[in-house]
């Protein structure tokens, strides 16, 4: 198998050799063998691993990309696939939320005095239930309330927050825009616009931008799938399997 230097791997991606060493240290690429003088010796397996990891980052994020590679190198193919499945599930959820908000905007544009469309699942939720639905903490929802994004009612008997259909819609929208990098103050303004059925230009612009991001992430997932498949194929050829579904992580000498 062709041997490569750290500079060879780094040059392909325009990164530093230190970054390559860091990725090896963190388990994102397999450990390299060493020469007698201590220099690393990489192979096409390492190059494919680096391509796979760097393609995972724009698709699933740095943390998830690292989890996927770590799982693969620890004989955890199913664990790696579970992280990938969650990423696809989140992308689908984002698309569904985006479409729901677009429908609300279209409705508001067509009928300025009408109320925005509500989520199909209109059951009221507690703060814990809504936090679980969005995969955030209750503290996050309280912060959004303090920022003016959410305005839940209170149960007269218990004093607990009650999030109804319109509150859930606002929380979904806030969650969507937060992932798009928008600040709470901006999100509060956007939510207020859709509440009052006025001025949806800013909201439409934000949704168009987020649509582009979702498209880019979907395409990145396709590219990552190709790179990851190539890497797994190389592992199958380079490392004898020890039982069905088992891949051993190459070890350093």
């Amino acid at each position: 198998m062709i041997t490569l230097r750290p500079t060879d791997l780094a040059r392909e991606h325009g990164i530093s050799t230190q970054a390559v060493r860091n990725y090896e240290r963190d388990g994102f690429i397999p450990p390299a063998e060493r020469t007698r003088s201590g220099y690393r010796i990489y192979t096409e397996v390492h190059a494919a691993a680096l391509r796979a990891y760097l393609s995972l980052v724009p698709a699933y994020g740095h943390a998830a990309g690292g989890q996927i590679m770590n799982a693969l190198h620890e004989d955890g193919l199913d664990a790696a696939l579970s992280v990938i499945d969650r990423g696809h599930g989140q992308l689908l959820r984002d698309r569904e939320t985006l479409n729901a908000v677009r429908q609300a905007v279209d409705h508001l544009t067509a009928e300025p005095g009408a109320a925005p469309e509500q989520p199909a699942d209109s059951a009221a939720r507690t703060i814990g239930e809504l936090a679980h639905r969005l995969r955030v903490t209750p503290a996050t929802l309280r912060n959004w309330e303090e920022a003016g994004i959410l305005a839940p009612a209170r149960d007269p008997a218990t004093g607990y927050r009650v999030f109804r259909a319109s509150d859930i819609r606002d929380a979904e929208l806030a969650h969507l825009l937060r992932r798009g990098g928008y600040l709470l103050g901006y999100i509060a303004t956007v939510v207020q616009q859709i509440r009052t059925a006025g001025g949806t230009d800013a909201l439409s612009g934000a949704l168009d931008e987020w649509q582009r991001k979702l498209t880019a992430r979907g395409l990145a997932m396709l590219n990552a799938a190709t790179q990851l498949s190539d890497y797994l194929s190389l592992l199958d050829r380079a490392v004898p399997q020890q039982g069905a579904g088992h891949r051993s992580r190459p070890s350093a000498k």
Side-chain angles (χ1 to χ4, degrees):
M1 185 172 288
I2 297 173
T3 59
L4 303 167
R5 300 167 299 170
T7 53
D8 297 324
L9 270 67
R11 189 181 302 113
E12 178 181 347
H13 304 284
I15 60 179
S16 67
T17 54
Q18 183 58 52
V20 175
R21 290 191 288 268
N22 290 345
Y23 294 150
E24 179 187 346
R25 176 201 65 201
D26 294 336
F28 303 159
I29 65 176
E33 295 187 1
R34 303 278 188 139
T35 65
R36 290 183 178 179
S37 55
Y39 290 104
R40 289 174 170 84
I41 302 175
Y42 292 122
T43 67
E44 182 55 31
V45 171
H46 299 91
L50 184 57
R51 292 185 200 109
Y53 170 68
L54 293 178
S55 70
L56 289 168
V57 171
Y60 304 97
H62 286 87
Q67 291 171 7
I68 292 167
M69 299 306 290
N70 286 160
L72 290 178
H73 295 150
E74 294 169 0
D75 303 330
L77 179 58
D78 285 335
L81 293 175
S82 293
V83 178
I84 292 172
D85 290 344
R86 285 196 294 272
H88 283 277
Q90 184 62 66
L91 179 59
L92 178 59
R93 183 182 179 85
D94 286 350
R95 288 189 185 283
E96 291 172 343
T97 300
L98 181 61
N99 289 337
V101 175
R102 280 197 185 282
Q103 290 174 5
V105 173
D106 291 343
H107 186 74
L108 291 173
T109 302
E111 302 179 38
E117 294 183 10
Q118 305 300 329
D121 179 6
S122 59
R125 285 178 167 81
T126 65
I127 190 169
E129 290 168 341
L130 181 56
H132 179 74
R133 172 189 173 94
L134 298 178
R135 297 190 182 96
V136 300
T137 65
T140 296
L141 296 180
R142 286 192 288 269
N143 288 339
W144 292 355
E145 182 179 356
E146 291 175 4
I149 296 170
L150 301 179
R154 298 275 182 162
D155 187 311
T158 64
Y160 293 156
R161 294 171 176 83
V162 178
F163 294 86
R164 297 189 172 90
S166 60
D167 303 308
I168 296 169
R169 178 209 62 210
D170 293 345
E172 292 275 15
L173 174 58
H175 197 212
L176 178 72
L177 295 179
R178 278 302 278 163
R179 287 197 296 277
Y182 292 97
L183 299 178
L184 293 182
Y186 178 84
I187 296 173
T189 300
V190 171
V191 170
Q192 185 61 31
Q193 287 174 343
I194 200 170
R195 276 191 198 141
T196 57
T200 57
D201 288 345
L203 178 59
S204 296
L207 295 180
D208 287 342
E209 182 178 346
W210 189 244
Q211 178 73 69
R212 289 190 290 272
K213 291 182 178 180
L214 294 183
T215 299
R217 198 195 316 166
L219 292 174
M221 286 179 175
L222 289 177
N223 179 56
T226 299
Q227 299 297 336
L228 202 57
S229 178
D230 289 346
Y231 176 50
L232 292 175
S233 295
L234 275 176
L235 279 184
D236 283 338
R237 294 197 299 269
V239 181
Q241 292 191 20
Q242 303 174 14
H246 179 91
R247 288 180 175 82
S248 296
R249 178 179 176 179
S251 59
K253 289 185 177 178

